[in-house]
Amino acid sequence: MPDPSYALTMARYNLWQNTSLLTASNGLSSEARQADRGAFFGSIEKTFFHVFWADEVWMSRFSSRPPPGGGLWESVTFSGTWAEFCEQRTALDHEILKWAAELDPGWFTQARSGHQGTWSRPKGELVIQMFNHQTHHRGQIHAMLTAAGARPEDTDIFRTPAVYRALYS
């Protein structure tokens, strides 16, 4: 089962990877970011927006953050500009990092119900789900960026740069 160290490691990794992918994406035109590339959500932008939405959903379940509007299919939209999205994504990544740094070990064993009480799982299992979901879709974004000619950083967790590994240590 995960513990505070796991959550903090994954939150650091999340911040590093999103920074890398956003930086690589910023080198593309908006048309290239919006092009349908055959991924589940279609484009680089739509996939980014979905992950952002899902992270907001999970953080609303784990903290006092209000849940985002809409459902799965609305998750691929963002009402602001790309620059505003990048700012909000980075802010959410820092929020996730701060949340992870403040977790108590006992928190992970508590149950959390969701979706109108249709399921209940230990919070530790749900933390794994949140970080696994991010990694899954970031892999899609990485592949789409590479196919578009962008060069995001490596994705191996053990290569997380020291500057990120030192956050909240």
Side-chain angles (χ1 to χ4, degrees):
M1 254 337 196
D3 61 12
S5 177
Y6 167 83
L8 188 54
T9 297
M10 293 306 295
R12 290 169 175 153
Y13 177 72
N14 172 64
L15 174 61
W16 169 49
Q17 284 298 294
N18 283 336
T19 300
S20 167
L21 296 177
L22 289 171
T23 299
S25 296
N26 285 335
L28 299 176
S29 68
S30 59
E31 293 79 16
R33 285 192 311 270
Q34 295 167 3
D36 189 331
R37 299 184 180 277
F40 186 80
F41 292 108
S43 71
I44 292 166
E45 280 192 9
K46 286 181 177 180
T47 306
F48 262 121
F49 298 161
H50 169 73
V51 176
F52 179 77
W53 174 86
D55 286 350
E56 288 186 310
V57 168
W58 285 113
M59 290 309 294
S60 76
R61 292 173 176 159
F62 298 153
S63 70
S64 60
R65 174 183 257 279
L72 180 64
W73 295 112
E74 293 85 15
S75 74
V76 298
T77 61
F78 183 79
S79 62
T81 66
W82 176 251
E84 290 168 335
F85 170 76
C86 292
E87 288 176 18
Q88 288 185 34
R89 175 73 261 184
T90 301
L92 180 56
D93 291 339
H94 283 280
E95 182 182 326
I96 293 169
L97 184 60
K98 183 178 185 310
W99 163 81
E102 296 173 353
L103 286 171
D104 180 86
W107 179 89
F108 290 86
T109 60
Q110 299 169 10
R112 173 65 169 97
S113 298
H115 194 59
Q116 302 170 343
T118 59
W119 55 263
S120 180
R121 299 285 190 279
K123 289 180 181 176
E125 184 179 312
L126 301 176
V127 169
I128 293 169
Q129 171 58 32
M130 179 180 77
F131 289 120
N132 188 59
H133 180 262
Q134 294 170 344
T135 301
H136 165 71
H137 287 300
R138 276 196 307 260
Q140 293 173 329
I141 294 169
H142 194 284
M144 289 186 281
L145 285 168
T146 302
R151 297 288 172 241
E153 294 180 56
D154 194 353
T155 61
D156 293 329
I157 197 165
F158 72 89
R159 295 187 186 276
T160 303
V163 66
Y164 292 95
R165 289 193 322 266
L167 295 170
Y168 288 95
S169 30

